[in-house]
Amino acid sequence: MSAQTSRAANDSLAPNDLEAWWLPFTANRSFKQRPRMIARAKGMYYYTPDGREVIDGAAGLWCCNAGHNRDEITQAIQAQAQELDYSPAFQFGHAGGFALASRLAQLAPGDLNHVFFCNSGSEAVDTALKVALAYWNVKGQGSKTRLIGRERGYHGVGFGGISVGGIVKNRQFFGTLLAGVDHLPHTYNREQQAFSRGEPEWGAHLADELERIVALHDASTIAAVIVEPMAGSTGVLAAPKGYLKRLREICDKHGILLIFDEVITGFGRLGTAFAAERYGVIPDMITFAKGVNSGTVPMGGVMVRQGLYDTFMKGPEHMIELFHGYTYSGHPLACAAALAAQDIYRDEKLFERAKTLEPVWADAIHSLKGLPNVLDIRTIGLVGAIDLASRPDAVGARAFEAMDRGFQEQGIMMRITGDTIALSPPLVITENQIGEIVEKLTKVIKAVA
């Protein structure tokens, strides 16, 4: 029976009708021939419809930091839904949003004291870029409109994010994007950094490329620089030692805002609440999403420094200060989930746990060195990447096969980008489960040799 016949015969789609959903960032035709279906999750594991256990080596999409289906979070969501299902954030507020904003402001370093909520990392980035442009307008420096990203950077899929981002496939099909954007060079050099643990020793000097960009365009035209402290989606590229501090110094010198995209690194991934804390650098804004409520309800946001916020708080008090926002900004269910997740992070000391496990994780993942086609391995915090040699006739095919075989045959979920395998397990992972991941990866890498 065809999909069309099935729909004509029954108002609801048949459970095995895979045609209607156009999956994002997915090879849809391949998937629908050999589906990788998930039915439920608990703790460190997903389960397939037939009950097979799959260890989550990716925290979903870098987001389920507290593990799956935590009772505390699901109960908080249920209770909130029964009390207040939705509240508009335009001209109205609710207690959960203010409580969460206060918690996050306490967690953030320095004077990042104010939170603007949205619903995803992509929206968080576009929000931060708009705040940067509006800030300079309010200050009477409207010529500062240029935005600086970085090659191989990933900042979501909004037009602002793909403009400052530097991943080719995310950009090439969508026209000219935002005007007036430039890019720093990426920080990866295999010859200098191969098999690095933590921050590479080589590469801090690459921050000085910002001076070249300033000389080219003049600081009077540049609004902000946005970088990931660890570029995750491109294959786990940690900032070299001293790199981010140097960027901060150059931005301060020329009066340029510095934005850290911490959608992946936020909430313990690198062993601290935010990577800014690990690196001892206070940016002007931090974008977050994913781990804020362990991936349970869509949520993102931007944390803003005190002085930046204060700049907007002028003029008639009845006037809107920033003409920006979303229907679901600070959604009550998302806030309830986030407050419960923050309690788990605090009570179980999951950020500290990630820091303690970092060397154990690094030793385990680097033990894969020497397996067939392994060209490089990088680890930092509870993140790892394994670069596999591409097949001569099909770049990306080897890692794709590894991802598929891993799920179907070995019971492991992983992320891939090109021929790189990326790993970022929930922060609740045990040493035994780290060993389980390495054992399964060993079999997968040998199978795709």
Side-chain angles (χ1 to χ4, degrees), residues 76-366:
I77 294 170
Q78 290 167 348
Q80 183 62 59
Q82 290 177 332
E83 182 176 335
L84 177 64
D85 59 343
Y86 174 77
S87 172
F90 298 5
Q91 306 286 8
F92 300 90
H94 62 93
F98 288 107
L100 179 59
S102 295
R103 288 282 295 274
L104 297 180
Q106 291 171 14
L107 203 60
D111 62 346
L112 287 149
N113 295 334
H114 297 274
V115 182
F116 193 104
F117 288 117
C118 56
N119 310 289
S120 68
S122 294
E123 289 184 0
V125 167
D126 277 15
T127 297
L129 298 179
K130 289 176 76 173
V131 168
L133 295 172
Y135 169 78
W136 292 116
N137 261 291
V138 171
K139 284 181 70 72
Q141 299 182 56
S143 64
K144 292 173 76 71
T145 60
R146 192 173 298 278
L147 302 167
I148 310 300
R150 189 169 59 189
E151 296 169 359
R152 295 189 66 168
Y154 179 76
H155 301 293
V157 294
F159 272 98
I162 60 175
S163 296
V164 295
I167 296 179
V168 174
K169 290 294 183 185
N170 292 356
R171 295 165 54 87
Q172 72 180 94
F173 300 109
F174 306 114
T176 56
L177 308 180
L178 294 186
V181 174
D182 209 334
H183 291 78
L184 292 160
H186 65 76
T187 62
Y188 180 60
N189 183 311
R190 183 174 293 162
E191 184 178 336
Q192 299 288 341
Q193 300 171 337
F195 298 97
S196 59
R197 301 177 184 224
E199 295 78 8
E201 296 287 343
W202 183 94
H205 66 283
L206 295 170
D208 291 329
E209 285 293 308
L210 182 55
E211 289 281 17
R212 179 188 61 79
I213 291 174
V214 171
L216 175 64
H217 300 295
D218 194 77
S220 65
T221 72
I222 301 175
V225 172
I226 181 168
V227 294
E228 301 160 277
M230 178 208 72
S233 296
T234 191
V236 184
L237 308 181
K241 288 182 179 177
Y243 176 88
L244 295 173
K245 286 187 176 181
R246 181 63 181 139
L247 277 186
R248 176 76 275 181
E249 290 167 1
I250 298 171
C251 286
D252 287 344
K253 174 183 174 182
H254 294 291
I256 299 168
L257 297 179
L258 179 61
I259 305 167
F260 280 2
D261 185 343
E262 296 224 33
V263 169
I264 286 176
T265 54
F267 305 101
R269 182 55 53 190
L270 300 190
T272 51
F274 296 98
E277 181 182 345
R278 175 173 177 137
Y279 293 111
V281 177
I282 300 176
D284 298 291
M285 287 182 267
I286 287 178
T287 64
F288 66 87
K290 296 186 184 292
V292 65
N293 57 28
S294 200
T296 51
V297 180
M299 175 170 252
V302 181
M303 287 184 284
V304 176
R305 293 187 75 170
Q306 186 68 46
L308 199 156
Y309 174 83
D310 288 342
T311 298
F312 286 90
M313 299 300 124
K314 296 172 182 175
E317 291 189 0
H318 72 283
M319 292 294 293
I320 294 168
E321 296 96 4
L322 180 66
F323 286 82
H324 176 67
Y326 302 93
T327 300
Y328 301 110
S329 291
H331 194 284
L333 270 63
C335 290
L339 286 166
Q342 297 305 316
D343 286 346
I344 292 172
Y345 294 150
R346 178 197 62 206
D347 297 344
E348 299 183 7
K349 295 183 169 27
L350 291 188
F351 304 164
E352 296 87 343
R353 177 184 180 80
K355 184 176 181 179
T356 299
L357 283 176
E358 179 172 356
V360 178
W361 170 259
D363 287 345
I365 302 303
H366 280 276

Side-chain angles (χ1 to χ4, degrees), residues 386-413:
I386 303 147
D387 290 347
L388 302 178
S390 298
R391 289 174 177 153
D393 58 337
V395 173
R398 178 170 275 122
F400 180 87
E401 183 183 347
M403 179 268 297
D404 185 59
R405 280 178 173 257
F407 183 87
Q408 306 281 15
E409 300 170 13
Q410 296 300 329
I412 180 171
M413 175 181 282

